[in-house]
Amino acid sequence: MPRVRELLGGDNRWLRLASHVLKWLAILVACYLGGVAATNLAPTVAETSQYRAVLRLDPIPRHTPVLHSPTIIGDVDVAFASPILAPGLDVQVAVREEITNLFTRPNVDIRSLQPSSDELSGAITDAAVGVGVRFLLGAAAIAVLLALASHYIRQRTTRGHHVAFVASAMVVATAGTFGGIALTYQPSRFAEYRTSGVLGVVQRNAGLLADVEARAAQVTPYFRNLLAVTQALQQKYVQGSVNEPVSARILLVSDIHGANQYALMRTIIAEEDIDAVIDTGDLINFGRVQEAEAAGIFRSIEGLGVPYVFVSGNHDQSSATDRALVARLGRIRNVVLLEDAQGALRELSFHGLRITGFNDPRWFGDDNQDPTAKEKPAVDRYEATMADQPEPDVVVAHEPYATQGIDKGRILVNGHMHTPKLDGNRIQVGTFTGGGVVAHYAEGPGQELNGQPYAFDILAFGNACELNSLTRYTFRNLLEGRPAYDSVEVISGARIDPYEPDRTQAQPGDTPAPKRTCGAVEETTLRTLPAPAPQGSPTSTSGGSATPATPTPTTSTVAVPPRVIP
């Protein structure tokens, strides 16, 4: 019997020891999860002069942890081989608004986007301290809660070894976590680099914009296939006016936002036999000409081989009076400004179509409050200018709040919202580049830019100047090398365009009424519109005729280069 009691007593000691170990491990896991939760609830922010990184810990420790960085044009995963278990890191990189200071400097170089070694060292230190403090506080909070729970469960008879029991688990969780991170995230532990797309905005990618341009060129075969299939479907299934002769095919794009994807645009122009491009604005992000220069956008526009009709958006100027981008575009041979840098409104007669428009009065960095009221002066000025002019066939502005105020115009075109939409005769164009390479920059509360599907529209006009069709394309994952079809819509022009051309035949003996026709390239001209008389100016109404108090300025006519694709 004594021997049995001895054996039972020994077993009880082992059971008690195993029970204590399991409790300690449970407390260890709880403290670890509490620390990880704290880094996610209050993530650490590390900054350089242009970039901001937000860091969180992944709760699942692995022998091959991953530093995960999501970007607007693909995710980047860097895997490490760890000698011990270590948590993963989730790092979200964004561009700070302060990057605009870079583009104010002359002769900007894209390599200037890279932070200095001192900045990187400071950011890494701030990140390590921030994550460590948050983890420690989270783990300590769990440890205190568990110690208090144990205290009350034991009817307030907590002893020192109980506190040490909980505290040791917290210390081991903290030391183990950061020991694993310190031993793992080193260059010598690097195992694998994986990316689902082009790395968006990170410190070490000095050739970012060139890479985007190259990737855009690589995926042009996808466009050719998509466009060919669409054309075949139209010919087979779409009946009516969309199959009638076409006098002009116009590509509608918007919200380029600094991404040089003009190789794709050239493919569309060639495959779809495009005669002209209309861009509704937001060519860049921060209102600085240097941004477009660094991306090679001006060179790419010049190489399109067709007229590039442009109105500026709210990201295309840095202040209410800044017209530097518009002036720079005005020096490109094939660019047609519907409002020039001096504020003169102009009418483009293209293949017989009358095209007008005006620039956005807003700028990057304004308070973004009540955009309708901010657009109204520009809308009123445009309406006053067009009061005595023939109705334009196409009116172009950047924001929907501007086109919604236009009374005189057959077809209204705007962008800005990054989402394609059709509202009566108003065509809202989506973003051609998915929002651009810095679509997820840190602008503060109410930030505007987000990644969207790529989109563009094609207008086809008939020989009687009527709109035959609107073809609308949306797709995703282009620069990631995995283009995904979203939709292709072909919409009859009769749904959009209220214009009804006179198709009646003159009776014998009658004088034929002049009929409007479209399609003659030699009729392509650019005319400066007469400025409206200032408000309150007197006009003469004697004899029933009105005479403006100020003379009408002489209009200029400028030839627009025809479609030439080298």
Side-chain angles (χ1 to χ4, degrees):
M1 290 293 295
R3 178 62 177 168
V4 172
R5 290 193 188 95
E6 182 180 349
L7 289 173
L8 288 174
D11 288 343
N12 287 336
R13 284 195 298 272
W14 283 110
L15 288 173
R16 284 196 298 273
L17 178 62
S19 175
H20 288 316
V21 170
L22 290 175
K23 289 178 182 178
W24 186 85
L25 290 175
I27 296 172
L28 175 71
V29 171
C31 290
Y32 170 78
L33 293 177
V36 170
T39 68
N40 282 266
L41 292 172
T44 300
V45 177
E47 296 181 328
T48 65
S49 58
Q50 282 97 32
Y51 299 94
R52 175 178 297 143
V54 180
L55 295 89
R56 299 174 175 85
L57 286 181
D58 184 337
I60 303 176
R62 302 180 179 88
H63 278 293
T64 55
V66 173
L67 193 157
H68 174 70
S69 180
T71 75
I72 197 63
I73 50 176
D75 295 351
V76 175
D77 293 324
V78 182
F80 294 83
S82 177
I84 61 175
L85 292 176
L89 281 174
D90 191 298
V91 183
Q92 289 184 311
V93 179
V95 181
R96 297 178 61 193
E97 187 177 346
E98 285 78 3
I99 200 171
T100 56
N101 297 329
L102 174 68
F103 295 116
T104 62
R105 305 171 191 168
N107 303 320
V108 65
D109 190 320
I110 199 64
R111 290 175 178 81
S112 301
L113 291 170
Q114 296 183 101
S116 66
S117 57
D118 290 341
E119 282 187 301
L120 281 176
S121 297
I124 291 171
T125 300
D126 291 344
V129 172
V131 172
V133 169
R134 286 162 175 77
F135 185 94
L136 183 60
L137 291 175
I142 295 299
V144 169
L145 289 175
L146 292 175
L148 289 174
S150 174
H151 176 73
Y152 284 101
I153 288 171
R154 296 176 179 276
Q155 298 180 346
R156 303 185 182 183
T157 58
T158 301
R159 299 176 183 175
H161 69 273
H162 294 146
V163 174
F165 187 78
V166 174
S168 64
M170 183 202 73
V171 171
V172 171
T174 303
T177 298
F178 286 94
I181 291 175
L183 290 173
T184 299
Y185 294 104
Q186 299 182 23
S188 60
R189 301 290 183 186
F190 169 78
E192 184 181 1
Y193 176 89
R194 300 187 298 270
T195 176
S196 61
V198 179
L199 181 57
V201 184
V202 294
Q203 292 92 331
R204 294 182 178 87
N205 194 349
L208 170 67
L209 299 175
D211 290 344
V212 173
E213 185 175 4
R215 184 63 65 94
Q218 293 169 7
V219 298
T220 53
Y222 167 78
F223 264 103
R224 292 193 178 95
N225 293 335
L226 177 61
L227 296 171
V229 170
T230 304
Q231 290 170 354
L233 289 173
Q234 289 184 45
Q235 293 171 4
K236 183 173 180 62
Y237 295 109
V238 180
Q239 304 298 322
S241 63
V242 292
N243 289 324
E244 294 183 1
V246 172
S247 64
R249 294 175 63 81
I250 299 177
L251 173 64
L252 305 181
V253 300
S254 187
D255 296 271
I256 302 294
H257 283 293
N260 190 341
Q261 295 178 21
Y262 285 90
L264 305 181
M265 199 179 295
R266 283 178 60 86
T267 298
I268 298 167
I269 290 169
E271 297 297 322
E272 287 284 302
D273 199 25
I274 297 297
D275 297 295
V277 177
I278 292 179
D279 183 345
T280 71
D282 274 4
L283 185 68
I284 52 179
N285 291 290
F286 307 112
R288 302 294 183 182
V289 172
Q290 293 89 340
E291 181 186 353
E293 294 280 12
I297 286 177
F298 301 131
R299 180 183 67 252
S300 295
I301 291 175
E302 190 171 14
L304 290 177
V306 297
Y308 193 86
V309 184
F310 183 79
V311 296
S312 67
N314 60 304
H315 281 259
D316 292 328
Q317 47 268 346
S318 59
S319 70
T321 58
D322 176 25
R323 297 294 180 267
L325 177 71
V326 174
R328 175 64 180 86
L329 286 168
R331 301 202 302 269
I332 300 175
R333 177 176 175 268
N334 61 316
V335 169
V336 179
L337 300 173
L338 296 181
E339 180 181 342
D340 65 17
Q342 287 71 45
L345 298 176
R346 308 200 283 185
E347 178 191 76
L348 172 66
S349 176
F350 183 76
H351 289 215
L353 297 167
R354 293 186 287 264
I355 304 173
T356 61
F358 54 95
N359 294 333
D360 197 328
R362 294 178 59 208
W363 65 94
F364 172 74
D366 76 353
D367 59 15
N368 207 29
Q369 300 296 315
D370 198 358
T372 301
K374 291 179 179 177
E375 298 294 326
K376 192 174 187 306
V379 173
D380 291 345
R381 174 174 174 262
Y382 172 82
E383 290 279 89
T385 301
M386 296 302 298
D388 297 325
Q389 299 296 321
E391 181 181 43
D393 299 299
V394 180
V395 180
V396 186
H398 178 63
E399 301 194 30
Y401 324 108
T403 49
Q404 287 165 357
I406 298 298
D407 295 324
K408 194 173 185 179
R410 281 174 50 195
I411 300 166
L412 310 177
V413 180
N414 70 266
H416 182 66
M417 304 304 291
H418 293 199
T419 305
K421 184 178 179 180
L422 186 60
D423 181 14
N425 69 330
R426 183 175 68 86
I427 300 170
Q428 181 168 289
V429 186
T431 165
F432 185 74
T433 61
V437 292
V438 287
H440 190 244
Y441 64 91
E443 189 186 21
Q447 62 185 13
E448 176 183 330
L449 298 180
N450 294 294
Q452 299 289 335
Y454 301 83
F456 63 90
D457 298 334
I458 296 174
L459 295 181
F461 288 89
N463 289 335
C465 304
E466 78 281 18
L467 179 62
N468 278 355
S469 65
L470 166 67
T471 307
R472 173 158 281 176
Y473 295 82
T474 59
F475 45 94
R476 297 174 185 266
N477 300 339
L478 189 66
L479 294 183
E480 297 174 12
R482 299 181 286 106
Y485 162 90
D486 263 12
S487 69
V488 178
E489 298 178 80
V490 182
I491 302 166
S492 173
R495 279 187 51 195
I496 305 167
D497 185 10
Y499 177 71
E500 295 183 1
D502 181 12
R503 300 177 184 274
T504 60
Q505 299 295 323
Q507 298 298 319
D510 292 345
T511 301
K515 291 185 179 180
R516 189 174 172 206
T517 59
C518 287
V521 175
E522 59 270 18
E523 294 178 3
T524 301
T525 57
L526 185 63
R527 180 172 67 96
T528 301
L529 296 170
Q535 284 188 337
S537 296
T539 58
S540 171
T541 57
S542 59
S545 62
T547 304
T550 55
T552 301
T554 303
T555 60
S556 60
T557 301
V558 181
V560 178
R563 180 179 185 271
V564 177
I565 301 180

